[in-house]
Amino acid sequence: MPDKQDVFKQLLKSNGLKVTNQRIAILEVMEKRPEEHLTVEEIYDYVKEKYSDIGLATVYRTIQVLSDLNVIDKLNLDDGYVRYELNIASEEGEGHHHHHLICLKCGSVLTFRDDLLETLEERIQKSLNFQVTDHEVKLYGYCEECRKMVENE
Amino acid sequence: MPDKQDVFKQLLKSNGLKVTNQRIAILEVMEKRPEEHLTVEEIYDYVKEKYSDIGLATVYRTIQVLSDLNVIDKLNLDDGYVRYELNIASEEGEGHHHHHLICLKCGSVLTFRDDLLETLEERIQKSLNFQVTDHEVKLYGYCEECRKMVENE
DNA sequence: GTGTCTGCAAACTTTTTGCAAGTCC
DNA sequence: GGACTTGCAAAAAGTTTGCAGACAC
């Protein structure tokens, strides 16, 4: 895992930003929990385990930096919380989107990858002359667990 | 337009809620501006034109009611504002989703309708055993106007 | 050494809540 | 009349900002 951190450190430096313990600690939290869709408060709590003196304001400021550098993505799962997750696309190259399946009963969130929207994007491009560069898809429904529970009732 | 209001009044009554001037006024604001993606503050300002005594808290509470009754939808266009719009699907029948094209340069929002995600939903259903009931799609890119401006530079 | 960053506290913004008075049915 | 609503003000929740001291390089 040192590679990722080195990349991050380079990224900071090349943008005139400094490498600080707090920033590294927050990155580590995000890296340890990919696809966990953490809220700011959760990130704050996790970081405090290793870096108890950190302030909430620093977490907010660092999240902003990470977001600007496209290291993490902002996420809205309609549960009233703003969430963040590692930007996986930036590691795997462009075009590898991942989307979210949100269970309306238990609130769990599954992730899936799919590039099937390309045909849609082409059609949009032709019919509306809108150049699509990215997309976000959220699917709502009922997860395997919740479906089983309903069947057994 | 009296029909819609009658439907709404019925909907309120059948849920044990009361028909008040404030609720009707807010519904009218939403109906007059379909696809305008209003913020709470905007709704508040518009309603005050006709109903100057209304309080902001009432707007929040009414929006909650309208949202619970599926008359309006919450919307997040990643610009830092929570927005609402009339739920058109509830009028046209299920399955008629509409999605959003967000211009990364000027921030304008276009709407389009498409049911093309059905094949994707089927595949998700089979592979992950997740029953999809609804979806939301946001496409990011550059609108016609902004593309023209770039070309002419 | 200098410019950036941090922690703290205060300020701000957005949304929710308690309550007495008012409205709907 | 009784239950539901409203407006107001206060409170709560979430986020940003100013600043003095600390840190990175």
Side-chain angles (χ1 to χ4, degrees), chain B residues 58-97:
Chain B
T58 300
V59 176
Y60 273 103
R61 283 184 284 226
T62 303
I63 285 172
Q64 190 57 57
V65 169
L66 290 169
S67 193
D68 290 345
L69 297 176
N70 283 312
V71 174
I72 61 175
D73 283 327
K74 195 172 184 173
L75 199 62
N76 194 304
L77 301 178
D78 306 306
D79 59 355
Y81 296 98
V82 176
R83 296 171 179 280
Y84 294 88
E85 65 179 359
L86 263 194
N87 179 346
I88 303 171
S90 70
E91 294 169 20
E92 297 179 7
E94 281 182 73
H96 280 80
H97 300 286

Side-chain angles (χ1 to χ4, degrees), chain A:
Chain A
M1 206 175 291
D3 304 274
K4 277 186 191 173
Q5 289 201 6
D6 287 346
V7 172
F8 177 53
K9 288 177 183 173
Q10 262 334 107
L11 201 54
L12 286 174
K13 286 179 185 171
S14 63
N15 282 79
L17 302 167
K18 293 189 171 168
V19 177
T20 66
N21 293 331
Q22 290 91 334
R23 285 174 178 168
I24 298 297
I26 289 173
L27 180 68
E28 282 180 353
V29 166
M30 302 303 291
E31 282 183 343
K32 270 193 198 154
R33 297 167 183 79
E35 306 193 1
E36 258 198 55
H37 320 113
L38 301 171
T39 64
V40 175
E41 209 66 34
E42 284 167 351
I43 295 169
Y44 179 51
D45 289 339
Y46 281 132
V47 175
K48 274 205 294 192
E49 290 175 4
K50 281 214 168 176
Y51 205 106
S52 60
D53 286 349
I54 201 167
L56 183 55
T58 300
V59 176
Y60 273 103
R61 283 184 284 225
T62 302
I63 285 172
Q64 190 58 57
V65 169
L66 289 168
S67 194
D68 290 345
L69 297 176
N70 282 310
V71 175
I72 61 175
D73 283 328
K74 195 173 184 174
L75 199 63
N76 194 304
L77 300 178
D78 306 306
D79 59 355
Y81 296 98
V82 176
R83 295 170 180 281
Y84 294 88
E85 66 178 357
L86 264 195
N87 179 345
I88 302 169
S90 70
E91 295 170 19
E92 297 179 7
E94 282 182 72
H96 281 80
H97 299 285
H98 83 281
H99 304 299
H100 298 97
L101 290 161
I102 304 169
C103 180
L104 294 170
K105 190 168 182 191
C106 71
S108 69
V109 179
L110 293 173
T111 289
F112 74 99
R113 282 165 227 293
D114 201 292
D115 299 327
L116 195 70
L117 255 61
E118 278 166 23
T119 48
L120 174 61
E121 291 187 1
E122 270 175 39
R123 281 173 38 213
I124 297 274
Q125 199 121 343
K126 283 175 189 163
S127 62
L128 296 172
N129 201 23
F130 188 102
Q131 181 192 0
V132 179
T133 59
D134 197 7
H135 60 250
E136 186 194 323
V137 177
K138 288 188 275 190
L139 297 172
Y140 301 91
Y142 300 97
C143 71
E144 192 165 9
E145 292 305 308
C146 288
R147 292 179 72 186
K148 278 184 193 160
M149 285 174 63
V150 174
E151 281 166 16
N152 296 336
E153 269 166 17

Side-chain angles (χ1 to χ4, degrees), chain B residues 18-57:
Chain B
K18 293 189 172 169
V19 177
T20 65
N21 293 332
Q22 291 91 332
R23 286 174 178 166
I24 297 297
I26 290 173
L27 179 69
E28 282 180 354
V29 166
M30 302 304 289
E31 281 184 344
K32 270 191 200 159
R33 298 167 183 78
E35 306 193 2
E36 258 197 58
H37 320 113
L38 301 171
T39 64
V40 175
E41 208 66 33
E42 284 167 352
I43 295 169
Y44 179 50
D45 289 340
Y46 281 131
V47 175
K48 273 205 294 192
E49 290 175 5
K50 281 213 169 177
Y51 205 107
S52 59
D53 285 349
I54 202 168
L56 183 55

Side-chain angles (χ1 to χ4, degrees), chain B residues 132-143:
Chain B
V132 179
T133 59
D134 198 6
H135 60 250
E136 185 193 325
V137 177
K138 287 189 276 189
L139 297 173
Y140 301 92
Y142 299 96
C143 71

